[in-house]
Amino acid sequence: MKTQRQWVLIQIFQVLCGLTQRTIRSRPVMDLLSGTYIFAVLLACVVFHSGAQEKNYTIREEMPENVLIGDLLKDLNLSLVPNKSLTSAMQFKLVYKTGDVPLIRIEEDTGEIFTTGARIDREKLCVGIPTDEQCFYEVEVAILPDEIFRLVKIRFLIEDINDNAPLFPTTVINISIPENSAINSKYTLPAAIDPDVGINGVQNYELIKGQNIFGLDVIETPEGEKMPQLIVQKELDREEKDTYVMKVKVEDGGFPQRSSTAILQVSVTDTNDNHPVFKETEIEVSIPENAPVGTSVTQLHATDADIGENARIHFSFSNLVSNIAKRLFHLNSTTGLITIKEPLDREETPNHKLLVLASDGGLVPARAMVLVNVTDVNDNVPSIDIRYIVNPINDTVVLSENVPLNTKIALITVTDKDADHNGKVTCFTDHEIPFRLRPVFSNQFLLETAAYLDYESTKEYAIKLLAADSGKPPLNQSAMLFIKVKDENDNAPVFTQSLVTVSIPENNSPGIQLTKVSATDADTGPNAEINFLLGPDAPPEFSLDRRTGMLTVVKKLDREKEEKYFFTVLAKDNGVPPLTSNVTVFVSVIDQNDNSPAFTHNEYNFYVPENLPKHGTVGLITVTDPDYGENSAVTLSILDENDGFTIDSKTGVIRPNISFDREKQESYTFYVKAEDGGRVSRSSSAKVTINVVDVNDNKPVFIVPPSNYSYELVLPSTDPGTVVFQVIAVDNDTGMNAEVRYSIVGENTRDLFEINETTGNIIMKEKCDVTDLGLHRVLVKANDLGQPDSLFSVVTVNLFVNESVTNATLINELLHKSTEAPVTPNTEIADASSPTIDYVKILVAVVAGTITVVVVISITAVVRCRQAPHLKAAQKNKQNSEWATPNPENRQMIMMKKKKKKKKHPPKNLLLNFVTIEETKADDVDNDGNSITLELPIDLEEQTMGKYNWVTTPTTFKPDSPDLARHYKSASPQPAFQIQPETPLNSKHHIIQELPLDNTFVACDSISKCSSSSSDPYSVSDSGYPVTTFEAPVSVHARPTDSRTSPIEICSEI
C-alpha cells in the first residue's frame, strides 16, 4: 500500500512539472514572485528526474571500525515500483575519487553504512573552520541498476570528542609586574589553546603555589576566548623579592577531563603608570588577494603619556592571532605598519583577524583589532574532479561493447575557488561522442552513455572535458577521460624465466640497461598486449620499460648502502578484467674501492701526564672503511718521519719514544695517514695533538728572603696586625701545582708573629714588651697544592726587634751563629734596652752623645773650610756615580774585609755609632726644605763603609724579578727615610741600617749631594769630599714604605 502511494505521488509530481513547462511557454513575461516559484519547481523536477537525493547523519570522531552509522534502504524509504522488473539486484555503490581513503563503507547489497579503519579526526578534517561552525564530511552513493538509479549525497556531521588536551603557547610563561601594582590588579596571561570545541575546549584555569601573593581570575574576551588574569593579592616590593615562580593549570570540560600546566615566572619591575592607547581600536580594511608582497595594509597609531623608555611602544601580534595570519602579514614592532609578508589567497582564508598589542614594557598592553578582508580576483582556474563509478584501469575506463544505454561512468564535479561570477562554472565536452553530461547537483554532472558502443568501429575514446568560469576574462580548464571498448580476455601472460638474476658493479652510470624480461600471452588483439610493471616492492633505483620489459638502473648504486636487491616484475595484459603474472628479479652489486678510510675525528687531542714512561699508551685512533675485502683493509702510519712517536699500523695505538717534560714542551703535533689495500689505494689523514699535562715535580722556591742570613728591623712600637715582612716563593708548575700556601713551622718561640697563608705577609700578632727585644728567627714553610703529593721549601726569616740597628756586625755574627745553634728569640745586643739598665747610665750616655755631636759638627766645619779646592776637584771626579746593588759574587771578599776591619778598628763606644739626619721643617722659611745634614764620626765611616765593595756590575737576579726593596717596609710610626723627591723634611731621626749581603737594596756610593731633578731615578750627581777627611764612603739604607716611592736622595750641607 505504501509503495502504491509513493508511485501515485511520483505521477502527480511529473504532471506538475509538465504544467510548469507549458506555463513558461505560454507566459514569457512573469513577475518576480511567480518566476522564483517556477524556478524552484523546475529545480525540483531536474533533481527528481536525475534521481538525486541528500541524507544527513551525525557521527562522533575517533569512532572504531565497523560501527553501524545508518541504513540507506530504510532511511530513504527505498522500495521497488510495482510491476517493474529489474535487470539486476539493487546495488549501493560508494562514489569516491581514485586514491582517496574513504572514512565510511557501504554494504552494496543492504545499503548499511559502517565506519572503516581510517581515523575520523575532526581537527584534521575541518582544519581552518571556525570553532563555532559545524564540521561535515560528504560522500556520494550511486543506487543501481539504471532502472531505479539514484545519486544520494550523504553529509556526515562530525561531532567533537575530548581527544586533545589544552596547551599553553610555551611551557614557561614570563611576565613582568611593576612593584607599585595595587592590590587586586590584574595582568593578562597567554591563553591556552585547545583544538577541541564547545565543552571540550578550555574551561578553567588554576594557579598552583601562588604563595598567597597572587591569585587567578578568568575572563571571556569579545572573541569568546577564556583569558587567565593574574591578580595581585598583596603589595609587592622588588627590593625584597623580584621573582616569583608558580604554576598555571588549564583544564577543559570534556570527559575524561584533560589538562596541562606551565611554569609562570613573575618578575617585579619598577613603575610604568601610563599604558599605550590606540587611536583606533577597530580597523577594517580590504585588500585584493593579488596585492604584491610588501604592500601596506594599514598603519596603526598608538600614544603613551609617559616619556623615555616607558613611552617607547612595541607593537606585536597577540597569541590569539592564527599562525596563518602571522605567516601572511608582517607587523613592524616600532612603527606599527602592517604589510603583506607572503602572497594572499582569498580561497584559503577570505578574512583575517589581527589582534595587535601595543606595549610600552608594561603588562597591560593596548589592544586593537584589525579585520583584513581579502577581496576576490579571478586568479583560480576551474578544477575538474572525476570520480569514477566504473572503476578505471590505468586511468582508463574499460566498457564492454554490450553495455546498455544510460550506463553511468563517472561523477564529474567542477569547482572554482573564486567567488560570485568568478566562481560560476559551466562544463561541456568538445565534440560529438556517444556520451553525455547530465546535471545532478549544483556544479555536478553524471557522465553516461548516450548511444550504443561498437568495438569494431571505435575501440577507445578520449573525452575532453571543458570547464569555464564567468570571470572577465574567463578562465578555463580541461581534463581527459579515457574509455576503451573491450573484448573477452581469458589468458594471463607467462614469463619465459622463473627467476631473473643479474650482477652490476657499484658506482654505475645511471641509465645502464641490466636485462630484458619477456612474457607471452595466448590471447589476441588488445587482450594480448602486455604491459610490464615494477611490483610494489621494487626500489626506486630501477625502472622498467612497460612495453619492451627492459630493466634499467636509473640511479648510481652504492654497495655500502645496499648489496642485494630482490623485487617483483609484473606482466599485465589489456583485457577486462586484466590478467597479470609476476617473476622475481635478483640484482647483486659488486664492490669497488670508492671509499677512503674515515677517521672518527678530523683532529685528535690526547692528554698525557708528563711522567708517562716511554712506550706507554698515549691513545687510540679508530679508522673505518665501508668497502669490502682488501678495499677495506686499512694501514696507519705517521707522516713526516716523526721519531718521537709510533703508531700500530693495525690497531691505531700511539706510543711515545721520548720522555715528556711539560716545562720544556707542552704539546706535540703530527699527522697520521690511513691507507686502504685497494688496487688503486685511497688514503686520508688526521691531525694529532698530544698535550702534556703538568705533574707536580717542582717545589716552591723562595725569592724573598733570598737567604737565611738576611734580617728585617721591627720597631717595638709596631701595632698588632701590622705587616712587618713578606715572604715570596714561586713554583714553576702550573695550575694547582703552582698555588703556594705559607705557614710558620718553627722557631717562633714567643709566638709574636703569624703569617697569612696566601699572601706570605708576616704580621705582628701581639704588642712587644721589653722582654721581646732582640733577634727572632721564624721558620716559614711554603708548600704547593699539587696532587697527589704536595712539595715544599723552608726558609728562615730573621726579625730584629729594636728601635734601631746600631751594631750591624754583631747582628750578622748572630745570624751566622744561628745556622750552627738554635737562636734565642730575644737575643740582646749592646744597644738593646733592658729593664736592668741603670737610669744613670742612660743619662750619662745621652750627655756624652750630645757632646760628641757638637764636636763632630765643629771638626767637620773646619775641615770643609780648609779643603774647598779639593772638594771641587773631587766633585768633578764623581759626577757619574750610580746607585748600585751589592755583588753577591763578592760575598766572601766582603766577609774577609769585615774581619780585617775588626782587627784594625776595635769596637768603639756604641753610643757614638749613630747618624743624625736633620730634616728641615716645612714651615721654615729660611730653608729651601730639601737639605739633610749627616754627622758621622770618622772611625764609624771606616768601620762601617769599608766592609762593602760597592760596584755597578749587574746583579744575578733576573730582569723580571720582583723589587725586593718593596718587601722591606717599616711599621714604625716614625718613617725612616720615607721622603718623596723634593718633599720638605720635618723630623729628625737617629738610625743606622746595615744592608744584608744577599739582598737587592740600593744605596748611594758616597756622601753625595744629589739632584732631585735628575731624569734617572737611580743615578745622582755626587759632591766629593777631601780624601784626608773621609777614608770610606757612608752608605745609608732606607726601607721604602710604598712601592711607588722614588729612591732616597740625601744631600749634605755643611
Side-chain angles (χ1 to χ4, degrees):
M1 190 68 182
K2 182 178 180 181
T3 303
Q4 292 178 355
R5 286 198 300 269
Q6 291 178 349
W7 183 81
V8 171
L9 290 174
I10 291 172
Q11 298 299 322
I12 295 173
F13 194 76
Q14 289 178 344
V15 172
L16 180 61
C17 290
L19 292 174
T20 304
Q21 293 175 356
R22 287 193 297 271
T23 303
I24 294 174
R25 288 193 296 267
S26 61
R27 296 181 63 188
V29 180
M30 299 178 292
D31 57 20
L32 180 62
L33 180 60
S34 60
T36 303
Y37 165 74
I38 293 175
F39 175 75
V41 173
L42 287 176
L43 181 61
C45 293
V46 171
V47 172
F48 173 77
H49 284 293
S50 63
Q53 288 183 269
E54 292 188 6
K55 182 60 182 176
N56 296 330
Y57 291 99
T58 300
I59 60 174
R60 291 182 293 105
E61 63 173 331
E62 307 292 348
M63 289 182 67
E65 188 178 1
N66 294 326
V67 175
L68 179 62
I69 300 175
D71 188 342
L72 286 181
L73 188 62
K74 295 179 179 180
D75 298 340
L76 298 178
N77 296 322
L78 298 178
S79 61
L80 297 177
V81 179
N83 303 324
K84 188 173 184 179
S85 61
L86 302 177
T87 58
S88 61
M90 181 181 295
Q91 184 181 9
F92 297 88
K93 190 165 186 180
L94 187 65
V95 181
Y96 59 91
K97 186 176 181 181
T98 303
D100 288 351
V101 179
L103 300 181
I104 58 100
R105 66 179 177 84
I106 186 168
E107 292 291 336
E108 295 185 355
D109 298 333
T110 64
E112 292 179 333
I113 304 173
F114 295 90
T115 58
T116 66
R119 181 186 178 194
I120 303 176
D121 189 350
R122 179 189 178 279
E123 286 72 35
K124 288 186 178 179
L125 287 175
C126 301
V127 62
I129 295 179
T131 56
D132 56 350
E133 294 185 9
Q134 294 179 330
C135 175
F136 290 96
Y137 170 69
E138 297 181 355
V139 296
E140 289 81 22
V141 176
I143 303 176
L144 304 174
D146 290 336
E147 290 84 350
I148 59 170
F149 175 80
R150 291 189 184 183
L151 185 65
V152 181
K153 181 185 291 291
I154 303 178
R155 304 178 75 221
F156 296 93
L157 173 61
I158 310 299
E159 290 185 341
D160 181 53
I161 66 172
N162 191 26
D163 57 343
N164 292 281
L167 295 175
F168 288 97
T170 59
T171 57
V172 178
I173 302 173
N174 292 289
I175 67 170
S176 298
I177 297 179
E179 62 178 329
N180 64 342
S181 298
I183 296 178
N184 295 326
S185 297
K186 296 183 179 180
Y187 297 92
T188 302
L189 301 179
I193 299 173
D194 194 330
D196 295 324
V197 298
I199 193 65
N200 296 329
V202 175
Q203 297 297 324
N204 185 40
Y205 291 89
E206 180 183 355
L207 184 65
I208 302 175
K209 296 182 180 180
Q211 307 173 28
N212 296 325
I213 302 296
F214 300 97
L216 194 67
D217 188 20
V218 180
I219 64 171
E220 187 168 344
T221 64
E223 294 79 19
E225 296 288 339
K226 288 183 171 61
M227 296 291 295
Q229 288 189 334
L230 191 66
I231 304 176
V232 180
Q233 296 180 341
K234 290 186 179 181
E235 292 185 355
L236 302 177
D237 188 350
R238 189 189 64 81
E239 289 71 25
E240 180 178 342
K241 187 172 184 180
D242 60 356
T243 303
Y244 296 88
V245 179
M246 297 160 283
K247 287 186 178 180
V248 180
K249 182 178 181 182
V250 59
E251 298 175 336
D252 59 24
F255 181 80
Q257 190 179 52
R258 297 179 182 270
S259 63
S260 65
T261 60
I263 296 175
L264 175 61
Q265 183 167 317
V266 179
S267 299
V268 182
T269 62
D270 286 330
T271 303
N272 181 15
D273 54 352
N274 287 285
H275 307 301
V277 177
F278 275 104
K279 185 177 180 180
E280 297 176 278
T281 58
E282 292 185 4
I283 301 174
E284 183 174 358
V285 295
S286 297
I287 189 166
E289 62 178 333
N290 62 349
V293 174
T295 301
S296 297
V297 177
T298 186
Q299 173 71 60
L300 297 174
H301 298 279
T303 59
D304 193 316
D306 294 323
I307 61 174
E309 288 297 323
N310 291 333
R312 182 173 295 177
I313 300 175
H314 177 82
F315 298 90
S316 62
F317 286 126
S318 169
N319 289 332
L320 299 178
V321 177
S322 66
N323 293 330
I324 295 177
K326 292 179 180 178
R327 175 172 55 84
L328 297 177
F329 298 94
H330 173 262
L331 173 61
N332 189 305
S333 62
T334 304
T335 63
L337 177 65
I338 300 177
T339 57
I340 298 176
K341 185 165 62 173
E342 292 185 13
L344 303 177
D345 190 357
R346 188 207 64 82
E347 290 70 31
E348 180 181 353
T349 308
N351 51 65
H352 302 272
K353 291 183 178 180
L354 307 179
L355 182 59
V356 180
L357 305 179
S359 174
D360 60 352
L363 297 177
V364 183
R367 300 158 59 95
M369 178 61 72
V370 179
L371 179 61
V372 180
N373 296 317
V374 183
T375 58
D376 184 59
V377 175
N378 191 23
D379 59 344
N380 290 279
V381 298
S383 64
I384 301 176
D385 182 21
I386 302 175
R387 301 183 183 182
Y388 294 98
I389 298 176
V390 177
N391 294 330
I393 301 174
N394 295 331
D395 296 328
T396 301
V397 175
V398 179
L399 297 177
S400 177
E401 62 177 346
N402 58 358
V403 296
L405 294 176
N406 301 324
T407 297
K408 310 304 185 290
I409 301 171
L411 176 65
I412 311 299
T413 302
V414 291
T415 57
D416 194 322
K417 295 181 179 180
D418 294 321
D420 300 325
H421 281 77
N422 295 331
K424 186 177 181 180
V425 184
T426 58
C427 183
F428 52 90
T429 58
D430 60 339
H431 58 276
E432 291 294 329
I433 53 176
F435 303 96
R436 64 188 174 194
L437 292 173
R438 187 157 60 90
V440 284
F441 294 110
S442 175
N443 292 341
Q444 285 189 314
F445 305 86
L446 277 174
L447 178 66
E448 59 185 15
T449 57
Y452 291 105
L453 303 178
D454 187 3
Y455 171 80
E456 286 70 25
S457 63
T458 306
K459 296 180 176 59
E460 61 182 19
Y461 297 90
I463 303 175
K464 186 175 183 180
L465 302 175
L466 298 174
D469 62 21
S470 302
K472 294 183 180 180
L475 301 177
N476 56 69
Q477 179 66 284
S478 64
M480 298 299 297
L481 190 148
F482 300 96
I483 299 177
K484 287 186 177 181
V485 183
K486 73 175 181 68
D487 282 332
E488 297 296 330
N489 182 31
D490 56 352
N491 290 285
V494 177
F495 283 95
T496 58
Q497 294 176 278
S498 60
L499 177 65
V500 180
T501 304
V502 65
S503 299
I504 180 174
E506 65 174 331
N507 301 322
N508 58 284
S509 299
I512 291 180
Q513 296 178 348
L514 290 180
T515 187
K516 183 177 181 180
V517 295
S518 60
T520 60
D521 195 314
D523 292 326
T524 59
N527 295 331
E529 294 178 359
I530 299 175
N531 294 323
F532 296 96
L533 303 171
L534 290 174
D537 59 344
E541 288 81 2
F542 302 95
S543 68
L544 183 66
D545 190 290
R546 63 182 300 169
R547 294 297 181 187
T548 64
M550 181 60 69
L551 183 64
T552 306
V553 182
V554 297
K555 294 183 179 180
K556 181 186 292 186
L557 300 182
D558 189 351
R559 188 205 64 81
E560 288 71 33
K561 293 182 179 179
E562 192 70 37
E563 185 176 2
K564 298 177 182 178
Y565 295 90
F566 287 92
F567 55 92
T568 303
V569 171
L570 305 177
K572 181 171 64 174
D573 62 21
N574 290 332
V576 178
L579 302 178
T580 62
S581 61
N582 62 75
V583 68
T584 300
V585 178
F586 169 61
V587 180
S588 176
V589 183
I590 303 172
D591 183 58
Q592 289 185 337
N593 191 21
D594 58 341
N595 289 281
S596 298
F599 289 89
T600 55
H601 299 83
N602 294 329
E603 181 175 350
Y604 293 85
N605 284 278
F606 298 103
Y607 293 85
V608 297
E610 60 179 324
N611 60 355
L612 181 72
K614 285 186 178 181
H615 311 298
T617 300
V618 172
L620 175 67
I621 291 180
T622 304
V623 184
T624 60
D625 193 322
D627 289 325
Y628 179 75
E630 290 297 325
N631 296 333
S632 63
V634 179
T635 302
L636 296 172
S637 61
I638 297 178
L639 296 177
D640 300 332
E641 299 181 356
N642 190 322
D643 296 333
F645 300 89
T646 61
I647 186 170
D648 191 294
S649 61
K650 300 301 181 184
T651 64
V653 175
I654 299 177
R655 302 180 187 278
N657 289 333
I658 59 175
S659 297
F660 296 110
D661 188 348
R662 189 204 61 81
E663 285 72 30
K664 293 182 179 179
Q665 187 169 351
E666 295 184 353
S667 64
Y668 300 85
T669 301
F670 54 87
Y671 286 84
V672 173
K673 175 183 178 183
E675 185 174 10
D676 61 27
R679 178 176 298 178
V680 178
S681 63
R682 303 173 71 96
S683 63
S684 59
S685 63
K687 183 180 179 181
V688 177
T689 300
I690 298 176
N691 301 283
V692 183
V693 180
D694 181 52
V695 174
N696 191 23
D697 55 353
N698 290 280
K699 66 181 182 179
V701 176
F702 282 96
I703 60 173
V704 177
S707 73
N708 293 330
Y709 299 106
S710 61
Y711 67 93
E712 177 73 10
L713 177 65
V714 179
L715 297 178
S717 59
T718 303
D719 295 328
T722 303
V723 177
V724 298
F725 190 68
Q726 182 185 25
V727 295
I728 300 176
V730 296
D731 195 313
N732 288 332
D733 292 320
T734 60
M736 297 300 294
N737 295 334
E739 290 287 333
V740 180
R741 296 293 181 268
Y742 303 93
S743 61
I744 296 177
V745 296
E747 299 294 346
N748 188 18
T749 56
R750 291 181 178 269
D751 199 22
L752 274 179
F753 307 98
E754 59 183 358
I755 191 169
N756 186 300
E757 68 169 4
T758 303
T759 63
N761 290 333
I762 297 178
I763 304 170
M764 179 68 75
K765 186 176 181 182
E766 297 180 357
K767 186 71 175 180
C768 294
D769 55 22
V770 179
T771 61
D772 294 325
L773 299 178
L775 183 64
H776 293 257
R777 187 169 70 174
V778 178
L779 198 60
V780 177
K781 175 183 176 182
N783 63 285
D784 57 33
L785 301 182
Q787 294 294 334
D789 297 324
S790 174
L791 302 180
F792 66 90
S793 296
V794 179
V795 71
T796 300
V797 178
N798 300 290
L799 301 173
F800 182 52
V801 180
N802 198 30
E803 290 292 343
S804 63
V805 179
T806 57
N807 194 340
T809 303
L810 180 57
I811 297 176
N812 289 327
E813 290 178 356
L814 291 174
L815 292 176
H816 285 80
K817 289 180 181 180
S818 66
T819 60
E820 300 175 359
V823 178
T824 304
N826 59 344
T827 302
E828 298 181 358
I829 61 173
D831 64 337
S833 300
S834 173
T836 60
I837 296 177
D838 195 344
Y839 292 101
V840 177
K841 293 182 179 180
I842 296 176
L843 180 60
V844 172
V846 172
V847 173
T850 304
I851 296 172
T852 303
V853 170
V854 174
V855 172
V856 171
I857 292 175
S858 302
I859 295 173
T860 303
V862 173
V863 172
R864 181 177 178 84
C865 294
R866 294 182 178 180
Q867 301 295 333
H870 298 284
L871 181 62
K872 293 180 181 179
Q875 184 175 1
K876 293 181 180 180
N877 295 331
K878 295 182 180 286
Q879 289 294 327
N880 297 322
S881 299
E882 298 180 352
W883 295 91
T885 60
N887 189 351
E889 297 178 356
N890 297 331
R891 182 171 182 176
Q892 295 180 353
M893 185 182 297
I894 296 173
M895 296 300 297
M896 293 175 62
K897 290 183 178 180
K898 289 172 65 178
K899 292 180 180 179
K900 293 179 180 179
K901 291 293 182 178
K902 290 179 180 179
K903 292 179 181 180
K904 294 181 179 180
H905 303 280
K908 300 293 191 300
N909 189 347
L910 292 179
L911 293 177
L912 299 178
N913 294 337
F914 64 90
V915 176
T916 300
I917 304 175
E918 184 175 354
E919 300 174 0
T920 305
K921 296 183 179 179
D923 54 357
D924 190 355
V925 297
D926 297 330
N927 199 308
D928 58 2
N930 292 324
S931 62
I932 303 175
T933 302
L934 301 181
E935 298 180 358
L936 300 173
I938 302 286
D939 293 340
L940 181 60
E941 292 178 6
E942 294 177 355
Q943 175 182 340
T944 305
M945 303 306 297
K947 296 186 295 180
Y948 300 106
N949 180 19
W950 293 97
V951 294
T952 59
T953 58
T955 67
T956 59
F957 296 102
K958 297 180 180 180
D960 57 350
S961 298
D963 184 2
L964 301 181
R966 296 182 181 180
H967 305 293
Y968 286 80
K969 298 181 180 180
S970 173
S972 172
Q974 296 179 345
F977 287 77
Q978 297 177 7
I979 56 174
Q980 298 289 344
E982 301 182 1
T983 301
L985 306 177
N986 54 9
S987 62
K988 185 173 184 180
H989 306 286
H990 300 277
I991 185 170
I992 291 180
Q993 294 189 359
E994 293 291 344
L995 181 67
L997 296 180
D998 295 329
N999 215 323
T1000 57
F1001 285 102
V1002 296
C1004 188
D1005 60 341
S1006 63
I1007 299 177
S1008 309
K1009 183 177 181 180
C1010 308
S1011 172
S1012 61
S1013 61
S1014 174
S1015 62
D1016 184 1
Y1018 294 101
S1019 62
V1020 296
S1021 297
D1022 302 325
S1023 299
Y1025 290 88
V1027 179
T1028 56
T1029 305
F1030 297 94
E1031 296 180 5
V1034 175
S1035 295
V1036 181
H1037 310 290
R1039 298 190 317 274
T1041 60
D1042 185 67
S1043 60
R1044 297 168 297 179
T1045 305
S1046 302
I1048 302 171
E1049 301 175 356
I1050 305 175
C1051 301
S1052 177
E1053 292 290 342
I1054 299 179

